[in-house]
Amino acid sequence: MTESGNHGGSSYEETDSLALFIGLNNDISDYSLSTHNIIYQVDIAPTLALLFGVPIPKNNVGVLIAEIFGYLADDQQLKALELNSWQLLRLLQAQMPGLSCRNYLCDDFSDDQESKITKCSGSMGKMFCCLYTNAALLQNSWMSKEFSRSKSREDYSSAVTAYYEFLRTASEWLSRSATDKPVSLLTLGIAAMLLSCLILLSLLFNMCKEVYIREKYLFDLESAMQTWYLDETFVLGVILILIVSMISSSMVEEEQYIWHFVASTLNLLLLRKAIQCPPCGGAQGLHTLSKEQNKISCFRLSSIFVVLVSGRILRGWHQGGVNWTNLPDISKWLEQSGTDNVKSIQLVSCLLLMTLSLYVLFLLGSNKKFVLVIGFSFLMSGLLVLQHVTKHWEVAAFYFLGMAGHFALGNSNSLATIDVAGAFIGISSHSTVLSGILMFMITYASPMLFILSMVMYISVKETSYLPSPFSADSTQLLKIMLGFPCLVPLGLNSILLTAYTIILLLMRNHLFVWSVFSPKYIYVCTTTVCVYVGVSVVSTTVTYTYLVLGFRRKMQGELSHQQ
């Protein structure tokens, strides 16, 4: 830790720690002569492996710690160095497919082996083979002196020195090649992502200007700008909070609290808007409000309270993240209560869901058959939110609520929370593709549900500012209906994806880059796939619907013209 109490970085204070080895054959007097040598973390694995007599991990690039093997005989120490050298030579051959040291070792060892020791230079491959060959020749030279080994300490030291020269050179090169980042390619990729993000945001900005110009004839422009200031400022504030939180590894591990906070704040904003705004057409005046309209207004307020309570239940459903997973939550209580109680709760929940859904639809439409069909098809969450989404920014609300539900279902930024078992339910034989699709659907069920619910949002989108929706140009109508539902999720995701890519590049030397930041980036990329799939389904569905309606209008026009 640093002197200020920070941890997890790459500074010397945060990466320096004590390694203490105590051997049975060490004498107490040896400790007074011990020196404070610096070893690397990767050196611990080959040291422990050789001490326990097990193979070195095949991708380890460490060098065994010399002081630990001081109690072994000379030939055993050289054997340990030889095993460590074989390990690194195999990794070098994997990194350099054309590397082969057989030409250096093909000649039979002769008595005059020391004359074969050369000064190593040239390309990296030749230098590695030369260093390894020198060490092997010196070891064989010492081993050949069977009766005078104890007296030839100089030959033994030369072999040890040669092995360590090869090991340190190879380890340093392998470590550097494994952690090297193609910064130029990464910079080019980030530049392309920034360009894509700017294009999406510019399209979204132009769409906002066009919509405000179209709506200014029905709404006061000053009040419209005030609405933009409240709603869009909230969206921009959420984006800023998310970007800043990505810098902290602890906030990445506990991201669910950010989304719960966003969802709760969003519901409070909906409550404020429902209190301030009349339930329908403000241009008619307050004196024209009927009893039925007052009932709808009261229902809006009460339904938002229901959403607030539901959000609190979702927050307590799973103790996600890393630090508080051991605390009790609703899911653990349901698991402990037994399957019978869980089935009873599911039955009551389904009945309550259908009842409330039908009640909402009865208030919205008069066609009873339509109410019965739709009421059993959609979930309560989409219907409740549907009552209050009247402006283009709650498109952003769909995104926020979807991510809040994603974490409420027990997901996190750790790969350990992925429901792998659920991906194999209902599959008769193993299929990587089908299991992957099921795993994706289970993990991103909540964001996908909210993105697809934009089809419902589009179906009740306010188009009163158009002269006649049915007589309007179909291309212009598609642009108006699909502009925000497609551009807002793509724009939000593009900002987060680009920002986290830059943060990951800056954090590439962080201590938690593999355990925290890299898994988070996998989730960010997969969320991008989810957004693109959802937007594609929404755009395809709406486009198909309007093409069919346009074809029907055309056919009706031709029939009426013939008559």
Side-chain angles (χ1 to χ4, degrees):
M1 300 180 67
T2 61
E3 294 182 357
S4 60
N6 192 21
H7 70 96
S10 56
S11 66
Y12 175 78
E13 291 82 4
E14 293 168 285
T15 58
D16 179 52
S17 59
L18 175 66
L20 177 63
F21 293 87
I22 301 177
L24 296 178
N25 294 342
N26 289 96
D27 189 84
I28 192 66
S29 60
D30 294 339
Y31 296 112
S32 61
L33 302 176
S34 62
T35 57
H36 300 286
N37 296 323
I38 297 178
I39 63 173
Y40 295 101
Q41 191 174 10
V42 291
D43 297 340
I44 297 177
T47 301
L48 294 180
L50 293 174
L51 286 174
F52 284 102
V54 297
I56 301 174
K58 67 176 184 177
N59 290 323
N60 178 264
V61 297
V63 178
L64 58 86
I65 305 171
E67 294 83 358
I68 307 302
F69 294 86
Y71 72 94
L72 293 177
D74 292 345
D75 57 341
Q76 292 177 326
Q77 293 187 44
L78 285 177
K79 185 61 177 179
L81 290 171
E82 184 182 25
L83 293 173
N84 197 181
S85 299
W86 285 350
Q87 158 75 11
L88 296 189
L89 182 62
R90 185 184 58 82
L91 293 178
L92 289 172
Q93 291 173 342
Q95 292 288 332
M96 302 176 177
L99 178 65
S100 177
C101 299
R102 292 182 178 179
N103 295 333
Y104 291 85
L105 299 175
C106 61
D107 297 334
D108 293 332
F109 290 114
S110 61
D111 295 335
D112 191 21
Q113 295 173 36
E114 295 183 3
S115 62
K116 298 181 181 180
I117 305 300
T118 59
K119 185 177 181 179
C120 298
S121 60
S123 64
M124 294 301 299
K126 292 182 178 180
M127 186 180 68
F128 287 136
C129 286
C130 177
L131 291 174
Y132 177 74
T133 304
N134 286 345
L137 290 173
L138 289 171
Q139 179 189 10
N140 190 74
S141 175
W142 179 81
M143 294 289 293
S144 64
K145 300 175 182 179
E146 184 176 356
F147 300 102
S148 59
R149 288 182 191 172
S150 59
K151 297 181 181 180
S152 57
R153 296 299 300 174
E154 184 178 351
D155 294 341
Y156 170 77
S157 300
S158 299
V160 171
T161 302
Y163 267 123
Y164 273 109
E165 184 179 3
F166 166 76
L167 289 171
R168 292 192 183 97
T169 305
S171 177
E172 181 181 352
W173 188 87
L174 288 169
S175 299
R176 189 168 57 249
S177 63
T179 56
D180 263 350
K181 315 299 192 302
V183 179
S184 58
L185 291 178
L186 291 174
T187 305
L188 181 62
I190 290 177
M193 295 172 69
L194 284 172
L195 179 62
S196 173
C197 182
L198 292 175
I199 292 174
L200 286 174
L201 293 180
S202 63
L203 291 174
L204 188 58
F205 178 74
N206 292 330
M207 185 68 67
C208 287
K209 289 175 58 178
E210 182 177 347
V211 169
Y212 280 132
I213 292 175
R214 288 179 175 273
E215 291 182 344
K216 70 178 181 179
Y217 298 104
L218 290 179
F219 303 101
D220 182 30
L221 185 59
E222 183 178 356
S223 62
M225 293 305 295
Q226 290 177 354
T227 304
W228 186 95
Y229 181 79
L230 173 65
D231 300 344
E232 276 72 5
T233 300
F234 170 72
V235 176
L236 294 177
V238 171
I239 295 174
L240 180 62
I241 291 173
L242 290 172
I243 293 175
V244 173
S245 67
M246 290 175 180
I247 303 174
S248 169
S249 60
S250 299
M251 293 300 295
V252 171
E253 292 175 342
E254 307 296 340
E255 187 182 351
Q256 71 276 2
Y257 292 107
I258 298 177
W259 290 108
H260 291 318
F261 170 77
V262 169
S264 301
T265 308
L266 172 66
N267 291 329
L268 290 177
L269 290 178
L270 293 176
L271 182 61
R272 178 181 180 275
K273 293 187 67 175
I275 293 174
Q276 289 183 342
C277 300
C280 65
Q284 296 178 1
L286 294 176
H287 62 278
T288 60
L289 291 177
S290 63
K291 183 178 179 181
E292 185 66 24
Q293 292 169 346
N294 288 328
K295 289 172 62 177
I296 295 177
S297 179
C298 294
F299 174 77
R300 286 182 175 179
L301 293 175
S302 60
S303 60
I304 293 180
F305 281 109
V306 173
V307 174
L308 281 169
V309 174
S310 301
R312 185 62 187 90
I313 295 175
L314 280 177
R315 182 174 180 177
W317 196 268
H318 273 283
Q319 290 291 350
V322 176
N323 296 320
W324 294 282
T325 54
N326 60 315
L327 297 180
D329 52 36
I330 299 177
S331 63
K332 295 186 181 70
W333 175 75
L334 290 175
E335 290 177 356
Q336 296 172 0
S337 62
T339 56
D340 294 336
N341 293 331
V342 173
K343 290 180 179 179
S344 301
I345 295 174
Q346 290 175 343
L347 179 61
V348 173
S349 301
C350 289
L351 292 176
L352 179 62
L353 176 66
M354 289 186 291
T355 303
L356 292 176
S357 301
L358 290 173
Y359 178 66
V360 172
L361 285 173
F362 271 117
L363 293 178
L364 291 177
S366 57
N367 191 330
K368 293 184 177 180
K369 292 183 179 180
F370 173 79
V371 169
L372 292 175
V373 173
I374 301 298
F376 288 96
S377 303
F378 293 98
L379 296 175
M380 185 60 193
S381 57
L383 292 173
L384 289 175
V385 176
L386 182 64
Q387 295 295 312
H388 316 289
V389 179
T390 57
K391 289 294 178 183
H392 312 294
W393 75 286
E394 277 116 33
V395 177
F398 282 129
Y399 189 95
F400 298 156
L401 292 174
M403 292 305 298
H406 169 74
F407 288 99
L409 293 176
N411 297 294
S412 69
N413 289 322
S414 172
L415 300 180
T417 57
I418 297 178
D419 186 5
V420 180
F424 296 94
I425 296 178
I427 299 180
S428 58
S429 59
H430 175 70
S431 173
T432 304
V433 176
L434 291 179
S435 298
I437 294 175
L438 283 177
M439 190 181 302
F440 175 83
M441 295 174 63
I442 293 171
T443 305
Y444 286 92
S446 177
M448 190 65 70
L449 172 64
F450 277 93
I451 292 177
L452 294 181
S453 64
M454 280 194 291
V455 177
M456 298 173 61
Y457 161 74
I458 294 171
S459 66
V460 296
K461 184 177 174 64
E462 179 62 45
T463 57
S464 59
Y465 52 87
L466 293 174
S468 176
F470 295 99
S471 61
D473 180 63
S474 59
T475 304
Q476 185 67 17
L477 193 59
L478 271 178
K479 179 181 177 181
I480 295 172
M481 301 300 287
L482 284 179
F484 285 97
C486 292
L487 288 178
V488 171
L490 292 176
L492 289 174
N493 185 81
S494 179
I495 293 173
L496 297 178
L497 176 63
T498 305
Y500 195 74
T501 303
I502 297 174
I503 290 173
L504 186 64
L505 180 62
L506 297 176
M507 295 291 179
R508 63 187 184 274
N509 294 324
H510 196 281
L511 187 64
F512 297 155
V513 65
W514 296 116
S515 60
V516 177
F517 292 102
S518 294
K520 166 65 178 174
Y521 193 67
I522 295 176
Y523 275 102
V524 171
C525 295
T526 313
T527 303
T528 302
V529 175
C530 175
V531 171
Y532 273 85
V533 170
V535 169
S536 300
V537 173
V538 171
S539 60
T540 303
T541 303
V542 176
T543 304
Y544 174 77
T545 303
Y546 274 88
L547 288 176
V548 172
L549 292 177
F551 178 76
R552 291 179 62 182
R553 285 202 304 268
K554 182 179 179 182
M555 295 298 295
Q556 291 175 358
E558 292 178 355
L559 290 176
S560 61
H561 180 72
Q562 292 176 358
Q563 292 176 356

